[in-house]
Amino acid sequence: MRFYLLRHGETEWNKLGKFQGLTDVSLNERGLSQARDSARAALSWQPSALYASSLTRTVQVAEEIRRATGLPMVSDPALRELSLGDLEGVTGAEMRAGWPEVYENWRSNPADVAMPNGESLTQLQARAWRVILEIEQAHADDGDVVVVSHNFTIRTIICAILDIPLYNFHRMSLGLGALCTFDSDGNGRRLVTYNCNSHLSPENR
């Protein structure tokens, strides 16, 4: 089976460089256009199942795919973004100024840093990876699956697939609306594409 891991598109918050985390921000017009591009592409992927984080910005993408493919959407809160706690809505510059020690640790040792009143990447990876394993088990004989999620969430999943320590997390980037795919079968899991935006129209890349 093939997994299509799809990051949601643009919101007004990420356009302004604000950390979103669990804050339930909706897609803006460009983000909705990116979602429609993804839905058109999903017709060629021919998935048998559709999963999404329970946050609005991912549900909006999954709803477009649901309308295009006719698949029911399964919403799972374990696929949500990293809980940023006190840093929800904060920009990178504001983090550096207001939480300098947290920022320094986040840049040098991201694996174990828990955001103030939030989560660590290790905690995020554990809950997200658990969902991936459950989906594998549920759909091993059904075909391919689309999972709509978030930047940090997808990157921790990719780290798990490739056995990359989360200390190297900052060496990866993932664009808005970008797609990652991996295959899973009796021979294990293999990354096929990472940070692909060829399914998006030129103005939405």
Side-chain angles (χ1 to χ4, degrees), residues 51-125:
Y51 287 78
S53 150
S54 58
L55 293 174
T56 297
R57 55 193 184 269
T58 47
V59 170
Q60 287 175 298
V61 179
E63 280 294 326
E64 292 290 342
I65 296 173
R66 181 192 64 78
R67 282 191 284 269
T69 63
L71 290 171
M73 178 190 66
V74 179
S75 177
D76 194 322
L79 290 169
R80 295 186 300 178
E81 183 58 290
L82 178 72
S83 173
L84 295 168
D86 297 343
L87 300 183
E88 303 268 334
V90 168
T91 66
E94 289 168 341
M95 180 183 180
R96 287 193 296 272
W99 295 265
E101 185 175 343
V102 175
Y103 177 81
E104 185 59 36
N105 289 334
W106 170 246
R107 295 308 306 176
S108 62
N109 183 23
D112 300 323
V113 176
M115 296 301 174
N117 295 310
E119 285 181 300
S120 68
L121 286 178
T122 300
Q123 291 171 310
L124 169 61
Q125 186 182 61

Side-chain angles (χ1 to χ4, degrees), residues 9 16 20 33 39 56 80 105 108 122 135-136 144 175 193 202:
L16 297 172
Q20 295 178 130
S33 181
T56 297
R80 295 186 300 178
N105 289 334
S108 62
T122 300
I135 294 172
E136 275 185 338
D144 302 335
T193 61

Side-chain angles (χ1 to χ4, degrees), residues 9-10 27-37 60 64:
E10 186 176 274
L27 298 174
N28 62 16
E29 285 304 314
R30 182 167 183 259
L32 290 169
S33 181
Q34 291 168 325
R36 289 189 288 270
D37 284 347
Q60 287 175 298
E64 292 290 342

Side-chain angles (χ1 to χ4, degrees), residues 8-26:
H8 67 80
E10 186 176 274
T11 71
E12 287 305 306
W13 274 32
N14 61 34
K15 184 178 179 180
L16 297 172
K18 292 184 177 183
F19 303 145
Q20 295 178 130
L22 300 186
T23 304
D24 207 9
V25 184
S26 298

